Amino acid sequence: MRPITYSRATDPQTAVATVSADPTCDYLAGGTTEIDLLRQYVLQPRRLVDINDLPLSGIEATPEGGLRIGATARMSDVAAAPAVRERFPMLSEALEKGASPQLRHMASLGGNLLQRVRCSYFRDPQSPCNKREPDSGCSALTGHSRDHAVLGTSEHCIAAHPSDAAVALTALDASVHTLGPDGERAYPLDDFFLLPGDSPHREHPMAHGELITAVEVPRTPVARRSLYLKVRDRASYEFALVSVAAALSVVDGRIADVRVALGGAAAKPWRARRVEDFLVGEVAERRAFAQAAQVELAEARPTPMNAFKVELAQRTLVRALGTLAEGTGLEDGSHA
């Protein structure tokens, strides 16, 4: 048995001060990932600070027309919120496809963003893993890598980022708001998640003790016509082999605005900016979608086990964009 001290925080400032002062102390919210990693001896904190009593669960409109979602808001509550379903359907769908109903009722949005990778080597303390123990090696490079990333990898780590919600939020230009010992900060989500590079153990820029307080989604008119398409091994609770969060606006048959992010295929939620740059001004048709997808995946670095993800990602991109374009000028969209 490992002794763990448990306490409940009553205000954000006290929580931050407590965790920041102790490198062996961590936050506890929904616990849907934290408890698993404790049981597997991957995480070994000596103290947990429960933040569920903090006033960080609201879902509120911003003056600019966006939404501010508290970090401890449950996934199920965010997915069901009328403002989310109406303005950002891709986020609602990503949350609903991200876990079982039981987990969605427990898991917090902030915790979902910070969940650790599902790489089996990361979760096996006996296997070398640069994320868990820097400079120990990456077992997946020569081991089982079917579920791993093909974009944004390095010779030190090829694990895929697991969050579905983060993919939609990346496409929506969301920002993460935090409170730390030095005050409040805001990180654009696309900068918040770090590629592995030479330091895969650093997954985000937050300091120890820095607390996510909210996620802010800006007003994004194009997102009203959006979706989250997830390809997985089974229809129920399962992580993505490839997923696509996409939003599309077509005016007079040509693409006026488009937002795309990939999940399951990359080391972080992958903003498909090459797709977006390629498609603006193009005719909304399958040919353009397929060409854009090829451009985006041109720099993929698959292993022999996950090489299928390159074509799968391209096909999923085309299908997602084709579905959104149906009835807005797409030619042959139903066959995308």
Side-chain angles (χ1 to χ4, degrees):
M1 296 290 291
R2 289 171 294 149
I4 298 176
T5 302
Y6 170 87
S7 62
R8 298 182 75 93
T10 56
D11 64 86
Q13 291 76 17
T14 301
V16 169
T18 301
V19 177
S20 299
D22 184 354
T24 69
C25 187
D26 284 337
Y27 295 115
L28 177 68
T32 56
T33 295
E34 186 102 5
I35 301 304
D36 284 346
L37 296 178
L38 283 170
R39 290 170 173 166
Q40 294 165 337
Y41 290 87
V42 175
L43 297 182
Q44 300 186 41
R46 292 206 294 258
R47 184 176 184 182
L48 292 176
V49 175
D50 191 321
I51 60 173
N52 284 292
D53 290 341
L54 301 184
L56 302 176
S57 61
I59 303 173
E60 304 170 346
T62 64
E64 298 78 17
L67 286 178
R68 184 179 177 91
I69 306 170
T72 61
R74 302 308 179 193
M75 288 173 59
S76 56
D77 292 337
V78 179
V84 175
R85 301 185 75 87
E86 178 184 351
R87 302 183 204 175
F88 310 106
M90 67 160 71
L91 176 57
S92 181
E93 293 175 10
L95 287 163
E96 290 177 341
K97 295 176 180 178
S100 67
Q102 295 88 342
L103 287 174
R104 294 200 304 271
H105 291 328
M106 286 294 296
S108 66
L109 182 62
N112 181 274
L113 299 183
L114 293 179
Q115 65 180 298
R116 307 303 299 274
V117 296
R118 265 19 190 217
C119 174
S120 59
Y121 300 109
F122 170 76
R123 291 169 177 262
D124 174 16
Q126 305 306 314
S127 298
C129 172
N130 288 322
K131 274 190 179 295
R132 193 183 63 251
E133 185 179 347
D135 300 321
S136 64
C138 176
S139 298
L141 286 173
T142 56
H144 185 78
S145 58
R146 178 178 181 270
D147 298 330
H148 288 60
V150 298
L151 291 168
T153 60
S154 75
E155 64 270 25
H156 302 287
C157 181
I158 59 172
H161 194 276
S163 173
D164 291 289
V167 179
L169 289 167
T170 296
L172 293 169
D173 289 320
S175 58
V176 174
H177 293 251
T178 69
L179 176 66
D182 299 324
E184 298 179 353
R185 295 193 63 178
Y187 302 89
L189 202 68
D190 201 21
D191 298 330
F192 180 75
F193 296 108
L194 304 178
L195 292 174
D198 295 331
S199 53
H201 61 287
R202 293 195 70 241
E203 297 178 349
H204 53 73
M206 292 196 305
H208 178 72
E210 197 169 350
L211 173 68
I212 295 181
T213 56
V215 175
E216 192 162 311
V217 187
R219 180 176 178 270
T220 314
V222 67
R224 289 179 178 269
R225 187 177 184 86
S226 66
L227 58 76
Y228 185 74
L229 180 59
K230 183 174 182 178
V231 179
R232 45 193 168 176
D233 284 327
R234 57 183 181 181
S236 62
Y237 174 42
E238 182 63 275
F239 293 94
L241 291 173
V242 169
S243 66
V244 174
L248 188 69
S249 172
V250 178
V251 178
D252 296 329
R254 292 190 177 272
I255 298 169
D257 195 3
V258 58
R259 306 292 179 89
V260 180
L262 285 169
K268 61 178 262 185
W270 189 263
R271 185 68 179 268
R273 297 194 184 276
R274 292 185 180 90
V275 168
E276 296 174 356
D277 292 343
F278 184 96
L279 288 178
V280 172
E282 291 288 324
V283 175
E285 61 182 5
R286 186 184 187 282
R287 174 197 56 79
F289 300 151
Q291 290 177 348
Q294 290 175 0
V295 170
E296 190 67 51
L297 274 296
E299 296 183 7
R301 297 170 57 188
T303 68
M305 281 191 180
N306 68 9
F308 72 94
K309 281 195 175 188
V310 178
E311 182 176 356
L312 182 62
Q314 294 180 42
R315 288 175 174 266
T316 308
L317 274 165
V318 173
R319 180 180 168 191
L321 292 167
T323 299
L324 290 172
E326 286 180 3
T328 63
L330 173 68
E331 295 179 8
D332 197 28
S334 61
H335 302 292

